[in-house]
Structures are given as C-alpha cells and as structure tokens.
C-alpha cells in the first residue's frame, strides 16, 4: 500500500480539502496521511472564514509525518500564508519525495479569491520548480502562470464542479506513486474522475427549503416581531446561517427582508384604513409614532402621513 501525504486545508462538507483527499486516495487503495494548513468555516453555501494555522504548527505536522512514515508522493492544495509556504518548500527540498502534485486553490467554488499576490509570487518562484505536476483550471492559469514556462502544468476546464480539481489531483498522486509516467497517470486520473462523477451525489444543503420556510414565518409574524434572532430561533438555525442563505438566494439580509414585509404591511394599513399613525405604530410593535415615522421614511423616502396624503390625492384625482 502506497502512502500519500496531502497538505491542504479542511472542508467541513467533505467535498474538497483534506477530507476529500483522504476519501479519494483511500478508494484507490492508497494510505493517506495529512498536514492541515487552514481550517475553513464553510458549508454548501460556501466559505465564510478561515483560520490559517501558524507556520510552526504546519512545520511540526510535516516533521512528525515525514520522519515517521516517509510518504512516497506529496499532494499539495491550499496554501494561503507565505510562512506556511516556506516550511513546506523546505520540507520538500530536504525530503525529496518521488513526486509532488500541486493543486493551487486560488478561487473558492463561489469565485472568491483565496490567495494574495505576495504568496502567488513566492509559489511561482519556490514551489513550482519542485512540482512534478501542477493542476489548475484555465481561469487560474492567467493569474498563476504568467511567464512561467515549465512543462509540468495540467490544465482543467473551468466548468468543473466543486472538488473536481481536488479529486483529480488526489487520484493523480496515487497513480504517480505506482511509478507510471506522468502522461499515463493523468489519463488514468481523468478516467477515474469521469467514472466517479457519473456516480457522485454532491452534498445538498437545505438553503432553498429554509429560505421558503423563513418567508412563510415572516409573512405570518412580521407585524408582531421584526427581530432576526426571533426567526432564526423559530427555524432552529443560527442567525449567521440564516443571513448566508438570504444573501445567497435573495441578495438581501434577513433584516431587510423582514423590513420589506413591515413596510408593505404599514402601507396597506395606510391605504385601506383611517387608523391613526400612532395606532398603526402600536399594532406593529414600534415604540411610538416617531419611531415608525423614522423607519418608514428610511424605507420609502416619505413619512407615513406624506404617503397617505399622496395616496388620497391620487385616488381623488
């Protein structure tokens, strides 16, 4: 059984990163060992934040694994810090594995830039020359390659899904560990991934379902409660996740969605009843008439009285 070392970040969904590397390598009969560079906060909606491990922690992991296990091949993914890169390059130069596969993680699956220009420059100068194969998408090559002329680049199409390049490069590392040529290893990795892609069922979150539930709850309760935490509790999710879902699907915050319902509700009361603004403010949970007036003006550019008078003048004409 060949031992492959993967050096990259974590992915809580298991669709990419350390978790996916271990799954792919194991499925091909290899033994996977790992060094974590970054812990990501993410779900099926995308990455929300990172915790990049200090370089001494990365170095400690490298020494512990390499000295003890001596993996034949190294696969590298997410490197976001220049100091992390230094210790990784130093380990590769000292250890000299039989092959190094590098899958640069320049963009997230949602298109967010994950690597700074300073790190890219260091990678091109110090890591690229140590790599047997560099796997990247076409859109990444424009930023990463520039004037690099090495013949060790394997380009993938841009329209591959989340985790595709990750799985491909992991499979490639396993096949290189078998001692076959780079060209044959690439062909076998493509075949393997094509077969897996046909079977794979990607992890599905509940964002769409949750968003519709949120709208239903807000529609039933907006006149009594406009607090985001209230709705998050009612749906048994964190306010942060609710915000992610609303941003992803509607491009709005939960608060702006709730406020939209409140504004429409107040407008309906102003349009269809003779209730005083003070009474409407009390019914919608505002502290007083002034509070409602300020909120309404911020949302519509008019005070409730101006809105009502304009509506009545329009109807009269």
């Amino acid at each position: 059984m060949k031992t492959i070392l993967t050096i990259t970040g974590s992915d809580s969904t298991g669709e990419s990163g350390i978790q996916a590397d271990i799954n792919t390598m194991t499925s091909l009969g290899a033994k996977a060992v790992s060094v974590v560079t970054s812990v990501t906060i993410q779900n099926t909606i995308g990455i929300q934040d990172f915790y990049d491990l200090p370089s001494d922690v990365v170095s400690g992991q490298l020494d512990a694994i390499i000295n003890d296990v001596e993996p034949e091949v190294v696969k590298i993914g997410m490197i976001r810090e220049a100091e992390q890169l230094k210790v990784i390059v130093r380990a590769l130069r000292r250890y000299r594995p039989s092959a190094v596969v590098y899958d640069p993680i320049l963009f997230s699956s949602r298109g967010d830039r994950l690597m700074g220009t300073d790190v890219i420059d260091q990678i091109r100068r110090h890591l690229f020359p140590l790599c047997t194969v560099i796997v990247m998408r076409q859109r990444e090559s424009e930023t990463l390659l520039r004037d690099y002329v090495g013949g060790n680049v394997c380009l993938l199409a841009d329209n591959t899904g989340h985790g595709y390049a990750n799985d491909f490069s992991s499979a490639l590392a396993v096949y290189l560990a078998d001692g076959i040529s780079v060209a044959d290893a690439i062909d076998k990795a493509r075949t393997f991934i094509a077969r897996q892609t046909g079977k794979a069922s990607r992890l599905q979150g509940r964002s769409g379902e949750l968003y519709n539930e949120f709208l239903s709850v807000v529609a039933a309760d907006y006149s009594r409660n406009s607090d985001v935490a209230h709705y998050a509790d009612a749906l048994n999710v964190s306010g942060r996740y609710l915000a992610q879902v609303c941003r992803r699907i509607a491009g709005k915050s939960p608060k702006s969605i709730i406020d939209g319902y409140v504004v429409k509700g107040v407008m309906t009361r102003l349009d269809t009843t003779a209730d005083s603004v003070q009474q409407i403010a009390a019914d919608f949970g505002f502290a007083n008439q002034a509070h409602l007036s300020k909120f309404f003006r911020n949302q519509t550019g008019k005070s409730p009285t101006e809105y009502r008078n304009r509506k009545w003048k329009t109807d009269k004409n």
Side-chain angles (χ1 to χ4, degrees), residues 109-220:
S109 61
R110 305 296 180 183
D112 300 317
R113 179 78 171 263
L114 305 178
M115 194 187 301
T117 302
D118 58 332
V119 179
I120 291 174
D121 291 340
Q122 297 280 343
I123 284 171
R124 293 175 69 257
R125 286 203 302 270
H126 302 298
L127 181 58
F128 275 12
L130 301 177
C131 296
T132 309
V133 184
I134 303 168
V135 178
M136 67 179 72
R137 292 183 175 89
Q138 292 281 353
R139 63 172 179 167
E140 294 170 325
S141 66
E142 298 174 5
T143 302
L144 291 171
L145 292 183
R146 299 206 299 269
D147 59 349
Y148 179 73
V149 294
N152 57 345
V153 177
C154 175
L155 292 177
L156 303 178
D158 287 335
N159 60 355
T160 55
H162 177 49
Y164 180 92
N166 194 104
D167 292 343
F168 174 84
S169 55
S170 295
L172 177 59
V174 174
Y175 291 126
L176 287 173
D178 290 335
I180 64 177
S181 70
V182 170
D184 287 344
I186 289 174
D187 287 342
K188 289 173 74 70
R190 290 188 189 277
T191 300
F192 170 78
I193 297 302
R195 191 166 62 243
Q196 296 302 112
T197 302
K199 301 184 204 175
S201 60
R202 311 304 292 184
L203 182 67
Q204 299 295 319
R206 63 186 185 112
S207 56
E209 177 186 350
L210 177 70
Y211 180 71
N212 289 329
E213 290 178 7
F214 172 62
L215 295 184
S216 296
V217 175
V218 172

Side-chain angles (χ1 to χ4, degrees), residues 5-23:
L5 168 61
T6 170
I7 307 171
T8 190
S10 72
D11 178 348
S12 308
T13 70
E15 301 286 280
S16 188
I18 288 285
Q19 294 89 334
D21 284 351
I22 292 173
N23 183 57

Side-chain angles (χ1 to χ4, degrees), residues 34-269:
S34 63
V35 168
V36 180
T37 57
S38 298
V39 177
T40 64
I41 299 172
Q42 68 175 304
N43 49 31
T44 58
I45 297 175
I47 297 175
Q48 285 86 58
D49 208 347
F50 298 88
Y51 174 69
D52 297 318
L53 272 65
S55 60
D56 60 331
V57 175
V58 175
S59 179
Q61 293 179 80
L62 285 166
D63 287 343
I65 288 296
I66 291 175
N67 289 336
D68 186 45
V69 178
E70 292 188 317
E72 289 89 347
V73 172
V74 174
K75 184 259 178 177
I76 303 171
M78 180 182 286
I79 305 174
R80 286 171 31 88
E81 297 288 334
E83 292 303 313
Q84 288 182 350
L85 175 63
K86 288 180 183 178
V87 300
I88 292 169
V89 167
R90 187 163 59 241
L92 294 177
R93 286 174 175 165
R94 182 180 68 245
Y95 168 56
R96 298 187 181 183
S98 62
V100 175
V101 177
Y102 179 39
D103 170 23
I105 312 298
L106 180 57
F107 299 105
S108 72
S109 61
R110 305 296 180 183
D112 300 317
R113 179 78 171 263
L114 305 178
M115 194 187 301
T117 302
D118 58 332
V119 179
I120 291 174
D121 291 340
Q122 297 280 343
I123 284 171
R124 293 175 69 257
R125 286 203 302 270
H126 302 298
L127 181 58
F128 275 12
L130 301 177
C131 296
T132 309
V133 184
I134 303 168
V135 178
M136 67 179 72
R137 292 183 175 89
Q138 292 281 353
R139 63 172 179 167
E140 294 170 325
S141 66
E142 298 174 5
T143 302
L144 291 171
L145 292 183
R146 299 206 299 269
D147 59 349
Y148 179 73
V149 294
N152 57 345
V153 177
C154 175
L155 292 177
L156 303 178
D158 287 335
N159 60 355
T160 55
H162 177 49
Y164 180 92
N166 194 104
D167 292 343
F168 174 84
S169 55
S170 295
L172 177 59
V174 174
Y175 291 126
L176 287 173
D178 290 335
I180 64 177
S181 70
V182 170
D184 287 344
I186 289 174
D187 287 342
K188 289 173 74 70
R190 290 188 189 277
T191 300
F192 170 78
I193 297 302
R195 191 166 62 243
Q196 296 302 112
T197 302
K199 301 184 204 175
S201 60
R202 311 304 292 184
L203 182 67
Q204 299 295 319
R206 63 186 185 112
S207 56
E209 177 186 350
L210 177 70
Y211 180 71
N212 289 329
E213 290 178 7
F214 172 62
L215 295 184
S216 296
V217 175
V218 172
D221 207 27
Y222 70 88
S223 64
R224 293 182 294 274
N225 202 309
S226 62
D227 183 21
V228 174
H230 165 79
Y231 294 101
D233 288 343
L235 296 167
N236 197 29
V237 297
S238 69
R240 180 174 185 171
Y241 180 63
L242 180 59
Q244 293 165 10
V245 169
C246 292
R247 290 285 187 193
R248 178 61 59 187
I249 295 177
K252 299 179 180 179
S253 69
K255 181 59 176 170
S256 68
I257 292 172
I258 296 167
D259 287 348
Y261 274 85
V262 173
V263 167
K264 289 180 181 178
V266 172
M267 285 179 172
T268 300
R269 286 284 294 276

